[in-house]
């Protein structure tokens, strides 16, 4: 089919337009690589032409500096390599609605003529590393980065945030007012993906400033032990549905959609505003401390004791990071935060008293400063990979997992610009149990945490599989540990080798965890590699519920078929 036929008959039934003018504009503005498939070219050309007619200068093409700026701003080199036919840069929810309805109508005409839909991607911060998650080749990208307003309500109880905002934008506004929200831990990570579970943060940088262990699907924050995940703090979502309708989703209006968006990723619509609960917050204590790799056993034991404590201190959070480079070997750099203005609190003393320390940036400061430090100084020229798993809380298991990663990293040391980093993040019961109080979410974390308790049953802690396998301190059996592998490298020729090594390492680590009775089949969506299936870990009832909600709000499966990026409910 021709591009003209794809748009023949008009895209907006309430308007007429000059087909010849659209055809000429398309020819003038869309630059196409020789390698593009002819059918993809025609579909993209038609969609971009009509988008340009409806949204004028908010649609940019490859010869525009705004296109280049958008395409070069993804966090990974792989995502930066894809080239859409055009990019839509909306300024409002109404613009997003026009873009969606235009693309769906173009696709309806294409289907009528026997063609395929005009596919598109939606991006917020663009931090998911695998290509195609929030980027697309030869399709259309809707880039929300210009929609970044941050507004605090008159009563200072709600902060309304645009989907293009990054957490640094939010914290700079709120720090000046001595306020905070339970948000992301890295300043330049996007709000949208972290909160809904589509894209989010990232892992330790080769420089070993803690380029934050990436924030999870639904969103981990420094305030998670007190207030739950970021998604559990959303009072209201404004959403553009596949129909183009702009709706609200909260506890009173469309509560099913509100539930689904708290971890359901990009399967339901495009969120164009997040209203987050806001609370007083001043200075806090935080920073990064470096240690020798020789002291890692003490690190694992400290993590288990902290995570499993019956009297867990809800003001404290830790990210335990191990990073390997061919020239440096293994280094340890832990991020510690305490959300009160108290230095060296007792809960963190097992780490902060540990000597020797190779560096120490701990200080009393504000949220903006901490999240900027967490971001490090990485470049998007690196190729990047995330892989994740969730396990029970056991120092003995963590040591065996580290040994597997060490063996793999040593085998890959000839890869150019290699950085192989393992981050361990405590998930105490005080985090996993809070969702129900705020309307629930589909993540299924409470059920996963309960597996540890069920394994013990009425036999008491002596039956804990951690104790049977040499764990130093059992503690609460419902505590979890999130493991995140972040790999950086410089040469595309190493892509397959590194992916195979990562897959194999996680498969072997899973076998060890199962042998110890500590495997937990739950994958954080925002940490997941492209081959992992995070929705499987939500539990079949939650997955089925999300699928049903998707059918209600997206009956034509626009966000399942026309938006190929991310993790899909029906795959």
């Amino acid at each position: 089919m021709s591009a003209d036929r794809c748009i023949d008959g008009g895209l907006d039934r309430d308007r007429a337009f000059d087909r010849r003018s659209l055809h000429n504009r398309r020819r003038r503005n869309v630059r196409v690589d020789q390698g593009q498939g002819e059918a993809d070219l025609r579909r993209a050309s038609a969609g971009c032409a009509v988008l340009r007619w409806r949204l004028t200068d908010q649609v940019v093409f490859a010869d525009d500096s705004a296109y280049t700026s958008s395409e070069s701003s993804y966090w990974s080199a792989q995502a930066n390599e894809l080239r859409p036919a055009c990019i839509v840069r909306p300024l409002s929810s109404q613009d997003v609605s026009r873009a969606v309805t235009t693309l769906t109508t173009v696709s309806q005409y294409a289907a009528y003529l026997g063609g395929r839909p005009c596919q598109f991607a939606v991006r917020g911060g663009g931090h998911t590393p695998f290509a195609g998650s929030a980027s697309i080749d030869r399709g259309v990208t809707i880039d929300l980065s210009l929609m970044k307003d941050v507004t605090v309500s008159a009563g200072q109880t709600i902060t309304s945030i645009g989907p293009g905002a990054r957490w640094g934008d939010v914290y700079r506004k709120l720090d000046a007012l001595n306020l905070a929200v339970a948000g992301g831990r890295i300043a330049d990570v996007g709000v949208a993906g972290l909160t809904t579970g589509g894209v989010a943060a990232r892992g330790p940088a080769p420089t070993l400033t803690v380029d934050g262990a990436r924030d999870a699907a639904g969103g981990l924050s420094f305030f998670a032990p007190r207030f739950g995940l970021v998604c559990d703090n959303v009072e209201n979502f404004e959403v553009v549905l596949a129909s183009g309708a702009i709706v609200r989703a909260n506890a009173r209006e469309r509560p099913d959609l509100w539930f689904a968006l708290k971890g359901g990723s990009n399967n339901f619509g495009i969120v164009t505003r997040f209203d987050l609960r806001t609370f007083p917050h001043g200075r806090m204590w935080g920073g990064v401390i470096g240690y020798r790799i020789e002291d890692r056993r003490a690190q694992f034991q400290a993590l288990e004791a902290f995570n499993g404590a019956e009297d867990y201190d809800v003001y404290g959070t830790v990210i335990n990071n191990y990073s390997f480079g061919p020239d440096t070997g293994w280094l340890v750099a832990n991020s510690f935060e305490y959300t009160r203005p108290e230095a060296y609190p007792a809960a963190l003393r097992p780490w902060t008293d540990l000597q020797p320390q190779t560096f120490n940036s701990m200080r009393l400061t504000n949220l903006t400063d901490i999240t900027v430090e967490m971001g490090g100084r990485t470049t998007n020229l690196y190729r990047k990979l995330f892989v994740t798993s969730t396990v029970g809380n056991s120092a003995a298991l963590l040591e065996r997992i580290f040994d597997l990663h060490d063996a793999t990293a040593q085998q890959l040391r000839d890869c150019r610009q290699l950085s192989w980093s393992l981050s361990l993040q405590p998930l105490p019961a005080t985090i996993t149990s809070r969702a129900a109080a705020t309307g629930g979410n589909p993540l299924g974390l409470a059920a996963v945490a309960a597996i540890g308790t069920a394994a013990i049953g009425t036999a008491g802690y002596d039956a804990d599989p951690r104790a049977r396998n040499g764990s130093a301190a059992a503690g609460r059996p419902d505590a979890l540990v999130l493991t995140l592998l972040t790999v950086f490298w410089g040469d595309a020729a190493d892509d397959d080798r590194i992916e195979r090594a990562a897959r194999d390492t996680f498969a072997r680590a899973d076998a060890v965890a199962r042998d110890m009775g500590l495997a937990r089949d739950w994958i954080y969506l925002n940490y997941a590699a492209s081959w992992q299936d995070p929705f499987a870990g939500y539990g079949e009832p939650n997955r089925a519920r999300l699928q049903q909600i998707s059918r209600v709000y997206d009956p034509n499966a626009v966000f399942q078929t026309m938006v190929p990026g991310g993790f899909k409910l029906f795959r």
Side-chain angles (χ1 to χ4, degrees):
M1 92 182 169
S2 72
D4 294 304
R5 291 181 68 190
C6 182
I7 62 174
D8 190 26
L11 269 286
D12 186 337
R13 291 184 175 89
D14 298 323
R15 299 187 181 185
F17 58 83
D18 184 339
R19 201 181 88 188
R20 183 184 299 273
S21 172
L22 283 176
H23 177 74
N24 291 338
R25 190 179 299 162
R26 186 191 76 243
R27 290 169 59 90
R28 184 169 65 249
N29 285 298
V30 182
R31 183 175 296 169
V32 180
D33 295 334
Q34 290 296 318
Q36 287 183 336
E38 190 65 23
D40 285 340
L41 165 61
R42 290 169 177 166
R43 283 191 297 274
S45 299
C48 289
V50 183
L51 285 166
R52 184 63 180 248
W53 177 77
R54 296 201 70 188
L55 293 165
T56 62
D57 292 341
Q58 289 162 245
V59 180
V60 295
F61 298 88
D63 56 357
D64 193 302
S65 61
Y67 178 104
T68 304
S69 176
S70 176
E71 277 304 288
S72 63
S73 65
Y74 288 94
W75 185 58
S76 76
Q78 299 100 308
N80 284 324
E81 289 172 351
L82 302 188
R83 291 291 177 266
C86 65
I87 300 173
V88 183
R89 305 173 77 229
L91 299 172
S92 67
S93 303
Q94 290 74 25
D95 291 341
V96 175
S97 174
R98 292 186 191 99
V100 171
T101 55
T102 297
L103 289 166
T104 55
T105 310
V106 166
S107 295
Q108 289 170 2
Y109 275 93
Y112 175 76
L113 295 166
R116 295 169 55 195
C118 300
Q119 293 187 321
F120 63 100
V122 183
R123 69 163 292 187
H127 280 83
T128 297
F130 62 84
S133 177
S135 55
I136 196 165
D137 208 29
R138 297 191 295 260
V140 175
T141 295
I142 299 177
D143 180 352
L144 302 171
S145 62
L146 299 181
M147 298 174 61
K148 56 184 180 181
D149 287 348
V150 179
T151 305
V152 180
S153 67
Q156 297 191 331
T157 59
I158 295 292
T159 299
S160 297
I161 307 169
R166 298 173 186 257
W167 289 109
D169 301 322
V170 178
Y171 298 144
R172 280 185 285 273
K173 177 92 169 186
L174 297 182
D175 275 340
L177 300 171
N178 287 318
L179 299 171
V181 295
R185 299 170 296 183
I186 300 177
D188 67 346
V189 163
V191 170
L194 182 147
T195 308
T196 63
V199 292
R202 57 193 188 221
T207 57
L208 210 65
T209 57
V210 182
D211 188 17
R214 185 179 180 231
D215 293 299
L220 283 172
S221 84
F222 300 134
F223 303 99
R226 291 165 61 193
F227 301 119
L229 300 176
V230 177
C231 65
D232 296 322
N233 287 268
V234 179
E235 191 76 13
N236 174 71
F237 297 94
E238 180 185 81
V239 192
V240 173
L241 302 178
S243 66
I246 303 171
V247 303
R248 292 165 53 89
N250 51 59
R252 297 164 300 280
E253 304 171 86
R254 303 172 188 84
D256 54 346
L257 182 58
W258 181 55
F259 170 87
L261 289 169
K262 293 191 285 185
S265 193
N266 65 355
N267 288 283
F268 305 94
I270 301 175
V271 178
T272 51
R273 195 184 74 233
F274 300 84
D275 296 336
L276 268 65
R277 287 188 287 277
T278 305
F279 49 88
H281 175 73
R283 291 169 70 77
M284 59 185 287
W285 184 76
V288 182
I289 301 178
Y291 302 91
R292 303 181 311 166
I293 192 61
E294 291 82 1
D295 298 321
R296 62 186 179 275
R297 178 168 292 179
Q299 298 278 342
F300 300 139
Q301 292 171 349
L303 188 150
E304 180 181 311
F306 174 79
N307 193 22
E310 293 287 352
D311 56 347
Y312 185 95
D313 187 336
V314 297
Y315 293 94
T317 59
V318 177
I319 304 173
N320 182 210
N321 290 296
Y322 303 83
S323 186
F324 174 87
D327 297 328
T328 62
W330 284 100
L331 302 171
V332 184
N334 292 348
S335 171
F336 302 105
E337 276 72 37
Y338 199 72
T339 57
R340 300 176 71 179
E342 177 184 339
Y344 296 97
L348 298 176
R349 283 290 178 88
W351 277 293
T352 58
D353 286 349
L354 184 63
Q355 298 292 338
Q357 297 176 359
T358 57
F359 62 89
N360 185 323
S361 72
M362 304 304 296
R363 73 272 189 201
L364 287 170
T365 184
N366 61 27
L367 196 51
T368 301
D369 182 40
I370 291 291
T371 57
V372 168
E373 179 184 44
M374 288 279 285
R377 297 181 298 276
T378 58
T379 170
N380 60 4
L381 298 179
Y382 287 111
R383 309 186 74 75
K384 295 165 185 170
L385 172 69
F386 289 137
V387 196
T388 188
S389 69
T390 305
V391 297
N393 185 40
S394 163
L397 172 59
L398 297 180
E399 186 165 4
R400 293 182 67 179
I401 289 173
F402 172 83
D403 289 344
L404 291 170
H405 282 269
D406 179 36
T408 301
Q410 300 292 348
Q411 293 169 3
L412 296 171
R413 61 185 309 134
D414 60 319
C415 293
R416 188 169 65 87
Q417 296 177 304
L418 176 73
S419 172
W420 185 280
S421 298
L422 175 66
S423 297
L424 306 175
Q425 301 182 60
L427 279 179
T430 186
I431 293 177
T432 59
S433 63
R434 290 191 180 271
T438 55
N441 66 49
L443 302 178
L445 261 177
V448 174
I451 292 171
T453 304
I456 297 172
T458 59
Y461 278 27
D462 289 341
D464 190 337
R466 294 167 301 168
R468 296 199 308 271
N469 287 278
S471 177
R476 290 192 58 141
D478 51 358
L480 304 172
V481 178
L482 199 61
T483 79
L484 166 65
L485 170 66
T486 306
V487 191
F488 292 0
W489 69 101
D491 194 337
D494 291 322
D495 286 6
D496 290 344
R497 180 185 176 195
I498 287 172
E499 181 177 316
R500 285 196 305 270
R503 282 178 179 255
D504 179 66
T505 302
F506 272 78
R508 287 183 287 140
D510 180 69
V512 170
R514 291 188 187 283
D515 181 63
M516 296 178 69
L518 292 165
R520 303 290 182 263
D521 294 325
W522 195 85
I523 299 295
Y524 253 135
L525 187 148
N526 278 349
Y527 288 45
S530 59
W531 66 80
Q532 296 185 294
D533 183 6
F535 288 125
Y538 286 18
E540 190 51 40
N542 279 339
R543 186 171 198 161
R545 184 177 177 187
L546 289 175
Q547 290 173 339
Q548 179 56 32
I549 295 168
S550 171
R551 293 185 186 100
V552 170
Y553 291 98
D554 184 14
N556 295 318
V558 168
F559 289 96
Q560 301 301 310
T561 59
M562 288 180 60
V563 182
F567 298 97
K568 297 303 171 187
L569 291 171
F570 295 91
R571 289 182 187 168

